[in-house]
Amino acid sequence: LFRGLWAALGLVSGLIIVTRPTNIVWLIFGLLYGVYDYESFCQRVVFWRLFLRREPWSSLWCLSALFTPIFLQMLYWKVVTGQFIYYSYSAEGFYFLNPSLLKVLFSVQKGLFFWSPILLLVLPGVFLVRRFAASYWLPALIFITLNTYIISSWSTWTYGGSFGQRPFLESLPVSAICLCSLYQGSNRQIRQFLNGLFVLTSVLSVWLMWHYWTNVIPFNEATMQDVLRTFGL
């Protein structure tokens, strides 16, 4: 049963990588869960050393299960294209030395915070995670940083037609932890203010999304004029 659980964990990890390779940062989140200071980091290192020494077969089962979907994907590519590794994005790729960070976060066209302003509260919330959910603090901080950097480094930073910055969809569980920590760490007056913000930004998102789906806001290359038009301006 123990080895079966590790095999299942490896299989899920492999499926995550195959589905969206950049989501490999989620594996870092899992490895660092429960680490929030130097002492807990040392304890985690000791745990993995003992685990690899005492449970080599569990480790082998986990790695074998992890690479199974990756191998099947490569085998499929070989059958269909004649190559074990097939890159389907043509001229697109990552520019890690020149990320479009400000555009990805604030642009009218597809900016994360412009189209989902409630997520601005994630930034102060992440620093309160250590107080209210310490096990999530370091993995959340590293995940948010790495994931934002990777997303911003893609050559087509708008990521095609979508409402807002769609590649951040997988980040919402981590964002929820940060928002909950911010709410828990606030006094009554601030919570009332946050409640108002939650309602206001939710209504705004539904309003803009409705106009997006009815083609008032174009699926790509939206402008401030397009947004203001939804309010009759």
Side-chain angles (χ1 to χ4, degrees):
L1 178 62
F2 184 75
R3 293 176 182 174
L5 290 175
W6 279 99
L9 181 62
L11 180 60
V12 171
S13 300
L15 290 173
I16 289 174
I17 296 173
V18 168
T19 302
R20 193 181 184 92
T22 54
N23 277 346
I24 195 172
V25 291
W26 272 109
L27 305 190
I28 299 176
F29 187 97
L31 290 172
L32 292 178
Y33 173 77
V35 177
Y36 51 88
D37 57 17
Y38 180 74
E39 182 179 353
S40 59
F41 175 77
C42 292
Q43 291 174 351
R44 181 58 50 85
V45 172
V46 171
F47 166 80
W48 284 114
R49 289 178 60 185
L50 292 176
F51 176 78
L52 293 174
R53 185 188 309 167
R54 297 176 180 178
E55 294 289 339
W57 285 106
S58 296
S59 304
L60 183 60
W61 275 86
C62 182
L63 290 175
S64 299
L66 186 151
F67 283 106
T68 295
I70 298 175
F71 171 75
L72 292 176
Q73 177 68 72
M74 295 175 66
L75 185 62
Y76 170 78
W77 279 333
K78 180 63 176 178
V79 172
V80 175
T81 69
Q83 305 174 49
F84 279 112
I85 298 178
Y86 179 74
Y87 188 72
S88 59
Y89 284 95
S90 184
E92 296 181 283
F94 289 100
Y95 293 89
F96 291 114
L97 297 180
N98 188 30
S100 302
L101 184 61
L102 292 179
K103 293 180 181 178
V104 165
L105 296 180
F106 300 104
S107 170
V108 175
Q109 189 173 346
K110 292 291 179 182
L112 174 68
F113 295 139
F114 183 88
W115 292 97
S116 303
I118 192 63
L119 294 180
L120 278 168
L121 297 178
V122 170
L123 301 180
V126 71
F127 296 101
L128 291 173
V129 172
R130 187 172 185 178
R131 177 180 174 188
F132 297 103
S135 296
Y136 291 97
W137 177 68
L138 185 61
L141 183 62
I142 292 178
F143 174 85
I144 291 173
T145 303
L146 282 179
N147 191 53
T148 302
Y149 172 67
I150 291 172
I151 291 173
S152 302
S153 298
W154 185 247
S155 54
T156 309
W157 64 269
T158 57
Y159 287 87
S162 65
F163 180 83
Q165 271 292 335
R166 64 183 177 86
F168 281 94
L169 180 63
E170 297 94 333
S171 308
L172 293 183
V174 179
S175 300
I177 296 172
C178 298
L179 289 174
C180 289
S181 297
L182 176 63
Y183 193 84
Q184 188 170 355
S186 303
N187 57 34
R188 181 180 177 182
Q189 289 75 19
I190 295 179
R191 286 185 180 183
Q192 290 177 344
F193 175 73
L194 291 175
N195 289 337
L197 274 181
F198 293 152
V199 173
L200 179 62
T201 54
S202 296
V203 171
L204 177 62
S205 291
V206 172
W207 173 265
L208 293 176
M209 190 176 294
W210 174 49
H211 286 86
Y212 170 80
W213 286 113
T214 54
N215 296 319
V216 177
I217 297 175
F219 78 98
N220 199 8
E221 298 185 359
T223 65
M224 181 61 76
Q225 184 177 1
D226 295 320
V227 177
L228 294 177
R229 188 183 301 119
T230 67
F231 299 99
L233 302 174

